Amino acid sequence: EDQVTQSPEALRLQEGESSSLNCSYTVSGLRGLFWYRQDPGKGPEFLFTLYSAGEEKEKERLKATLTKKESFLHITAPKPEDSATYLCAVLRGGGGADGLTFGKGTHLIIQP
Amino acid sequence: KAGVTQTPRYLIKTRGQQVTLSCSPISGHRSVSWYQQTPGQGLQFLFEYFSETQRNKGNFPGRFSGRQFSNSRSEMNVSTLELGDSALYLCASSLTANTEAFFGQGTRLTVV
């Protein structure tokens, strides 16, 4: 069974204090790993897709990396508007469409 | 380019009733997936439709069903509602199965 574990569950940072969020996964044949951001009462907003170990992607203050067992979302010099829940999800390879398996998320709070 | 549209945004139903939720995917997207989000379980895959065919189904009872129309719009139905069905129901669309999924704002269902 596919499993995705995100840590920490919650993280409180000061504005400008960089940190990393972790996503550990167990999946039979990874087709892709996805990062989403979700604000309260809204649907998840797509951030990145990573397909193979060693791949990195960047967008503004965010950088996602992937190894064979985990992914990191690095946040550099965060601002209060980066406060949100960050979700990691994996998609298994194979012939069927099994849907995304999500982690429980990391609730990030950036204090001014 | 319009995003994923879900209607209604909020719904209150009584135990035992049934409910139909609607999702219009991004133009050109042929794959529509449905997810249930609760505080305890997080985001869980319900089912995925591609070209009007259900390709896979998550671990939910038969009370949860769906369909997709020729224009890619999708509906999901929950019959004989239970209190535990209260959740945020999210629809996601993608170009094809197994590519980046873009989520709608969700339908907040409350069963009383």
Side-chain angles (χ1 to χ4, degrees):
Chain A
E1 183 179 322
D2 302 341
Q3 285 193 332
V4 179
T5 303
Q6 291 189 246
S7 62
E9 289 185 12
L11 181 62
R12 189 181 297 264
L13 301 171
Q14 292 296 123
E15 184 174 359
E17 182 184 359
S18 301
S19 188
S20 297
L21 313 182
N22 178 264
C23 171
S24 297
Y25 64 89
T26 303
V27 63
S28 176
L30 179 71
R31 182 180 287 266
L33 184 140
F34 303 83
W35 281 99
Y36 288 87
R37 167 198 170 122
Q38 186 173 28
D39 293 300
K42 296 189 175 182
E45 175 189 344
F46 172 76
L47 293 173
F48 303 109
T49 308
L50 301 167
Y51 293 105
S52 56
E55 189 174 1
E56 298 182 353
K57 291 209 176 155
E58 286 189 68
K59 178 181 178 181
E60 296 180 357
R61 295 177 292 281
L62 299 176
K63 178 180 176 180
T65 62
L66 181 65
T67 71
K68 288 187 177 180
K69 294 184 178 180
E70 58 191 355
S71 177
F72 292 94
L73 185 65
H74 306 277
I75 302 177
T76 303
K79 299 180 177 181
E81 53 263 42
D82 294 323
S83 298
T85 296
Y86 290 85
L87 297 163
C88 169
V90 297
L91 187 66
R92 187 191 330 158
D98 297 327
L100 295 167
T101 299
F102 279 87
K104 295 290 179 69
T106 292
H107 182 50
L108 177 66
I109 297 173
I110 309 298
Q111 295 179 309
Chain B
K1 194 174 186 180
V4 180
T5 303
Q6 290 188 246
T7 57
R9 288 294 312 278
Y10 303 92
L11 208 49
I12 299 176
K13 289 287 187 179
T14 304
R15 267 185 305 174
Q17 287 187 314
Q18 74 167 20
V19 67
T20 299
L21 312 181
S22 180
C23 172
S24 293
I26 294 171
S27 178
H29 284 195
R30 297 170 64 190
S31 173
V32 174
S33 300
W34 289 89
Y35 292 82
Q36 181 195 67
Q37 187 174 32
T38 59
Q41 298 298 318
L43 271 149
Q44 292 185 289
F45 172 69
L46 280 157
F47 29 65
E48 192 260 354
Y49 286 86
F50 182 79
S51 294
E52 301 178 67
T53 301
Q54 185 182 94
R55 289 171 55 92
N56 210 349
K57 192 174 193 290
N59 189 23
F60 279 83
R63 301 185 295 107
F64 292 81
S65 63
R67 58 178 175 168
Q68 186 180 33
F69 302 96
S70 58
N71 61 358
S72 294
R73 191 177 70 84
S74 178
E75 289 181 346
M76 70 162 280
N77 183 276
V78 188
S79 63
T80 318
L81 284 166
E82 301 176 0
L83 295 178
D85 296 333
S86 294
L88 181 67
Y89 289 89
L90 291 159
C91 166
S93 82
S94 49
L95 270 172
T96 62
N98 301 330
T99 56
E100 289 91 352
F102 297 88
F103 285 82
Q105 298 286 49
T107 294
R108 171 73 63 185
L109 172 65
T110 301
V111 182
V112 298

